Amino acid sequence: MKMRAEEPAKKLMQGNEACAEGAIAAGCRFYAGYPITPSSEIAEVLSYRLPAVGGTFIQMEDEIASLGAVIGASLAGAKAMTATSGPGFSLMQEHIGFACMAEVPCVVVNVMRGGPSTGLPTLPAQGDVQQARWGTHGDHPIIVLTPWSVRECFDLTVRAFNLSEKYRTPVILLMDEVVGHMRENVELPNPEEVEVLDRVKPTVPPEWYIPYEDTPFGVPPMGIFGEGYRYHVTGLLHDVRGFPTLREDEIEPFMRRLFRKIWAHLNDIQQWETYLMEDAETAIVAYGSVARSAMRAVVEAREVGLRMGLLRLITLWPFCRKAVESILDGCKTLIVPEMNLGQISREVKRVAQGRAQVRTVSRVLGRLIKPEEILEAVEGWKA
Amino acid sequence: MEGMKSGRSLIYQYLRHDKKFPHVWCPGCGNGILLGSLIRTVHKLGYPKDDIVLVSGIGCAGRLPVYVDFNTLHTTHGRALTFATGIKLAKPHLKVIVVMGDGDATAIGGNHLIHAARRNVNLTAVVMNNSIYGMTGGQYSPTTPYGLKASTAPHGHVEHGFNISRLVEAAGAAFVARCTVYHVPLMDRLLTQAVEKQGFAILEVLSHCPTHFNKMNLLGGAVDSMRWMKEHAVPVEKAKRMAPEALKGKFRIGVLVDRDIPDYQTEYEQVRRRAKEAAPYKLDPQEISKMLESHQIY
C-alpha cells in the first residue's frame, strides 16, 4: 500500500514528547532545564532535537538557574522554555516573578506530581494549581494552560509560546503525570500549518524608544539585546524607561498595566470546551487528565438517562469565570473532581455564589480519579 | 588635563543621560572606580555599545549597570551568571559582562559561580569583594574575615571566608585575576584581558565598605582602606621571587590563572554538527578509554 505524501503520519507518542515537538514547531530555540521526573522526557527530546535546528539545549545546575538562562535567552531574542515538576517549580517561582515584572516572554512547563515537598515521585496529582497562580511573591497576572491529551500537549505548548510572545509574560503549561506519560496515537500538524506568533519589536528610532511605555493594547514593543535598542531591564519596579522608581505616580500605573494587559484580553486568552451541556442539569467541571474520567462519567450518566454534561477548562488561569457563569442557568449541581483537595473547586464556588450546589470530588491518593468516583457524587447514583 | 578631558567625554558617551543621578553609592565606595574602569576598557577595545550586555545581581554592585548606556540587565540576587549564560548562548556575538558582589556571587550565587566557571561559557565576571553585605546594613558575607565584626556578628565572626580566586580556579575558570580598587591601572589592564579572553574569565576586585565594614571594625575611611590594600598587595611576578614568610599576611594581585580551554560555544558547535548528521552519534570504543583517562577529576 502506498501512503499519500500529504497525509501526516500517525505516531504513537507521549504527552511529554508532544510537548517537546510543540515547542520546536512554535519556534523555541533555547531550552535550559534540570532533570526531574515526570518531566525529563521533554528535556531529553529537546537535547536531541534543538541542536539539529540550530537551537541550544543546556542542562543547568538547578531550576533557578534554568529559568534564569531562559529569561536571558529570551531577552536576547530567542523563544525559550524550561520544564520541571513540583519541587523544581517551587524553585522557579523567583524567576517567574522576574519574568512577570520585566515582561519577558517564556514558557514554563510543570508536569505535576504529588506534593508537598519531594512528595510522590512519580504519581499523578494536580496539587500545583494554586501555586501556578500565586507561587511567586507580589501581585502579578499569570497565564496557565492545562492539556488533557497528547495532541493537546502539542497544541497548548504552541499556544503557550504564542500567548507569552503576544503578552510578554511567562506562560505556564500545567500538565500532570498522566498526561505527560500517557501514550496516544496522534497526528501532528505539518509545521507550516502551525500558527506561530512572534513578539512585537520596536520600530521607532532607538533614541525614541521608551521600553515600558503603555500602549492601547497594553503590551509595549520589546527591544532585543544586540539589536540597537539599549535599555535597562530590572526586577525592581520601574518607570516607563525601565529605571527603578519609588514614585507613587509611576508604581500604580505600572502595576495596573501589568494586570490590564492580561485582563483586557480574556476573550483571547481563555479557552474552554463543553460536552453535552445543551440540556444538562448537572455539570462536571474538570481539567487535565481528570477531564478524561469526567467525560466517561458523563457518557455513563447519559446511558441511564441522567442529563449530565462536561465543562472542560483549558485555560486554568485567569479563571474562566464566564464559562462557569454560562452554565449556572441550566445546572443546579456542579461536580468538580480534582487530584487535590479542592483548588479549583473553591474558584467554582466563588463564581457560583450559591446559585448552584458545588460538590468537590477530591482524591489525593496518587492515581487518576475513576469515572465511578465522580458519579458517586451524583444524588441517587447507584453503581 | 588631557586625561581629565577624555574622562569627561567618556562620561558623556557612556553614562545614561536620562538616568536620574546621583547614584546610590556612599562616599568612598569602590563601585564607582570599577564603573570607570569598565567604561575605559570597553572604549579602549572599541566595542559598539549595542554589543555590550552588562548584567548584575542584587546589592551595591548590582546597581552598577543602570548608569551605563549599554544593554543592561539587573537580575535577581546571586543569579546574574545564569541570565548571562542564556544571553550569551542565544546571541554569541554579544560581549556579556557580569558584575556581582561577594555575597551575591559566593553565597546565594555560589553554585552558579562554580558551574559557570566549570562550564566555561564565554563570559566576563567581576566580583566586587568588600567582605560585607553593604546594601542591607553590614551583615557578614562568605568573605568576612574571621574574628571581625559585622551587624550580624556583633560578638565576632566565627566562620572562615572563601578565597574566591582559588574557588573559581578549582572549578575550572579559564582566566582568574585579582586586583584592588587602589590599583586602578592594573584593574584596567586585567579587565581588558578578561573581556578579551575566550572562555569564562573572572576578575576579583578587592574593595572596601567605609559605611559598614570599616566603621564596625575601626578601619577608618576609604583612604585608610586603600593604604592597607597598597601595603598588602603583592604583584604575582614579585610574589614568585619572594620567600613564603615574606608573603605572610599579603595577597597576590595580577593574573592568577590563564589557560586555554575550549569555551562552551565552541564545544556546542560539535553537538550541533553531530545532531544534523543523518547517522546517530556513535562513540569510538578506543576513544572511550581515552576520554575516561583524560577526565581530570579523580
Side-chain angles (χ1 to χ4, degrees), chain A residues 151-170:
Chain A
R151 170 63 202 247
E152 209 175 63
C153 286
F154 179 94
D155 293 338
L156 289 191
T157 303
V158 173
R159 186 167 159 75
F161 273 100
N162 288 348
L163 291 174
S164 81
E165 293 283 317
K166 189 172 180 181
Y167 295 103
R168 287 188 63 178
T169 183

Side-chain angles (χ1 to χ4, degrees), chain B residues 117-133:
Chain B
R118 174 186 64 80
R119 201 175 280 128
N120 205 26
V121 176
N122 214 338
L123 301 170
T124 307
V126 183
V127 180
M128 284 300 275
N129 180 5
N130 63 355
S131 312
I132 203 95
Y133 286 85

Side-chain angles (χ1 to χ4, degrees), chain B residues 129-194:
Chain B
N129 180 5
N130 63 355
S131 312
I132 203 95
Y133 286 85
M135 187 162 272
T136 46
Q139 296 82 10
Y140 63 79
S141 85
T143 57
T144 302
Y146 178 87
L148 292 188
K149 285 174 87 168
S151 66
T152 46
H155 309 297
H157 190 42
V158 293
E159 295 176 19
H160 297 274
F162 270 137
N163 180 328
I164 297 176
S165 296
R166 286 181 63 192
L167 179 72
V168 289
E169 179 187 348
F175 180 90
V176 184
R178 190 196 284 134
C179 69
T180 80
V181 287
Y182 171 76
H183 300 88
V184 176
L186 176 68
M187 191 191 295
D188 286 16
R189 280 204 304 279
L190 295 177
L191 204 51
T192 304
Q193 278 180 270

Side-chain angles (χ1 to χ4, degrees), chain A residues 159-358:
Chain A
R159 186 167 159 75
F161 273 100
N162 288 348
L163 291 174
S164 81
E165 293 283 317
K166 189 172 180 181
Y167 295 103
R168 287 188 63 178
T169 183
V171 175
I172 292 161
L173 185 71
L174 200 60
M175 294 165 56
D176 58 62
E177 191 275 340
V178 176
V179 168
H181 279 164
M182 178 173 64
R183 285 179 192 276
E184 285 185 301
N185 224 2
V186 285
E187 207 174 275
L188 297 183
N190 291 318
E192 61 273 14
E193 289 166 14
V194 177
E195 192 202 359
V196 170
L197 296 180
D198 295 319
R199 64 193 67 171
V200 174
K201 293 184 184 179
T203 49
V204 295
E207 61 272 24
W208 292 4
Y209 179 51
I210 301 173
Y212 290 96
E213 192 178 29
D214 200 355
T215 63
F217 192 68
V219 183
M222 182 172 170
I224 303 300
F225 284 175
E227 293 185 3
Y229 292 86
R230 298 185 303 275
Y231 69 109
H232 188 60
V233 179
T234 176
L236 287 167
L237 203 134
H238 40 272
D239 60 20
V240 290
R241 294 189 174 277
F243 298 136
T245 182
L246 298 170
R247 281 173 50 168
E248 324 186 337
D249 63 338
E250 290 175 337
I251 297 168
E252 177 117 355
F254 173 83
M255 289 297 289
R256 297 280 176 195
R257 180 179 64 75
L258 213 55
F259 271 77
R260 180 165 50 80
K261 74 174 181 181
I262 304 295
W263 257 253
H265 302 102
L266 290 185
N267 285 344
D268 180 40
I269 293 165
Q270 293 186 330
Q271 273 189 333
W272 63 83
E273 218 173 54
T274 57
Y275 176 65
L276 299 180
M277 279 304 300
E278 293 73 23
D279 62 340
E281 290 169 343
T282 302
I284 306 177
V285 183
Y287 55 94
S289 62
V290 173
R292 301 171 76 95
S293 293
M295 177 87 123
R296 176 73 203 170
V298 168
V299 171
E300 287 183 20
R302 289 271 169 182
E303 276 170 9
V304 297
L306 282 175
R307 287 201 281 175
M308 193 185 272
L310 169 67
L311 166 63
R312 182 170 76 89
L313 303 173
I314 301 170
T315 305
L316 211 50
W317 302 108
F319 186 70
C320 297
R321 185 188 187 97
K322 257 193 202 164
V324 175
E325 277 171 350
S326 71
I327 60 170
L328 284 175
D329 286 335
C331 297
K332 291 290 145 277
T333 308
L334 307 182
I335 301 171
V336 188
E338 296 184 88
M339 290 190 283
N340 59 46
L341 293 173
Q343 296 193 23
I344 278 296
S345 170
R346 58 191 297 222
E347 293 299 315
V348 177
K349 283 177 190 156
R350 183 173 64 81
V351 175
Q353 292 185 23
R355 287 173 62 199
Q357 199 190 18
V358 179

Side-chain angles (χ1 to χ4, degrees), chain B residues 14-194:
Chain B
Y14 288 98
L15 294 194
R16 279 181 164 138
H17 304 272
D18 49 359
K19 172 71 190 95
K20 292 157 245 170
F21 279 89
H23 55 71
V24 297
W25 299 316
C26 305
C29 179
N31 282 320
I33 297 171
L34 172 67
L35 177 57
S37 180
L38 197 78
I39 288 172
R40 287 191 297 275
T41 301
V42 170
H43 184 72
K44 190 175 74 185
L45 292 173
Y47 292 114
K49 291 194 281 186
D50 284 340
D51 287 356
I52 304 284
V53 185
L54 195 55
V55 187
S56 71
I58 298 293
C60 299
R63 294 301 182 101
L64 190 142
V66 73
Y67 306 114
V68 206
D69 187 20
F70 300 136
N71 306 284
T72 57
L73 172 60
H74 180 208
T75 71
T76 49
H77 197 22
R79 326 291 183 205
L81 285 167
T82 70
F83 288 71
T85 299
I87 294 168
K88 185 66 187 176
L89 297 183
K91 264 218 177 100
H93 84 272
L94 294 174
K95 269 283 161 199
V96 185
I97 303 169
V98 184
V99 178
M100 300 166 284
D102 47 299
D104 196 30
T106 66
I108 189 164
N111 199 28
H112 308 309
L113 180 70
I114 56 174
H115 285 280
R118 174 186 64 80
R119 201 175 280 128
N120 205 26
V121 176
N122 214 338
L123 301 170
T124 307
V126 183
V127 180
M128 284 300 275
N129 180 5
N130 63 355
S131 312
I132 203 95
Y133 286 85
M135 187 162 272
T136 46
Q139 296 82 10
Y140 63 79
S141 85
T143 57
T144 302
Y146 178 87
L148 292 188
K149 285 174 87 168
S151 66
T152 46
H155 309 297
H157 190 42
V158 293
E159 295 176 19
H160 297 274
F162 270 137
N163 180 328
I164 297 176
S165 296
R166 286 181 63 192
L167 179 72
V168 289
E169 179 187 348
F175 180 90
V176 184
R178 190 196 284 134
C179 69
T180 80
V181 287
Y182 171 76
H183 300 88
V184 176
L186 176 68
M187 191 191 295
D188 286 16
R189 280 204 304 279
L190 295 177
L191 204 51
T192 304
Q193 278 180 270

Side-chain angles (χ1 to χ4, degrees), chain A residues 33-226:
Chain A
Y34 188 82
I36 187 167
T37 320
S39 76
S40 297
E41 292 87 356
I42 298 172
E44 286 166 0
V45 173
L46 288 174
S47 73
Y48 185 80
R49 295 274 278 121
L50 274 175
V53 294
T56 303
F57 168 91
I58 187 167
Q59 190 170 302
M60 296 296 285
E61 54 272 21
D62 61 28
E63 286 87 349
I64 304 172
S66 300
L67 192 47
V70 161
I71 293 169
S74 183
L75 285 166
K79 288 191 185 177
M81 177 175 105
T82 185
T84 187
S85 187
F89 194 53
S90 292
L91 292 183
M92 285 179 186
Q93 295 302 334
E94 179 183 13
H95 284 164
I96 290 173
F98 186 93
C100 287
M101 185 58 124
E103 299 180 69
V104 185
C106 56
V107 173
V108 177
V109 182
N110 174 6
V111 187
M112 288 183 283
R113 68 189 209 188
S117 191
T118 316
L120 286 170
T122 314
L123 301 177
Q126 293 175 317
D128 305 347
V129 165
Q130 291 288 345
Q131 192 197 13
R133 176 64 194 91
W134 290 113
T136 196
H137 58 278
D139 278 316
H140 61 280
I142 198 89
I143 299 174
V144 180
L145 313 176
T146 47
W148 79 325
S149 68
V150 172
R151 170 63 202 247
E152 209 175 63
C153 286
F154 179 94
D155 293 338
L156 289 191
T157 303
V158 173
R159 186 167 159 75
F161 273 100
N162 288 348
L163 291 174
S164 81
E165 293 283 317
K166 189 172 180 181
Y167 295 103
R168 287 188 63 178
T169 183
V171 175
I172 292 161
L173 185 71
L174 200 60
M175 294 165 56
D176 58 62
E177 191 275 340
V178 176
V179 168
H181 279 164
M182 178 173 64
R183 285 179 192 276
E184 285 185 301
N185 224 2
V186 285
E187 207 174 275
L188 297 183
N190 291 318
E192 61 273 14
E193 289 166 14
V194 177
E195 192 202 359
V196 170
L197 296 180
D198 295 319
R199 64 193 67 171
V200 174
K201 293 184 184 179
T203 49
V204 295
E207 61 272 24
W208 292 4
Y209 179 51
I210 301 173
Y212 290 96
E213 192 178 29
D214 200 355
T215 63
F217 192 68
V219 183
M222 182 172 170
I224 303 300
F225 284 175

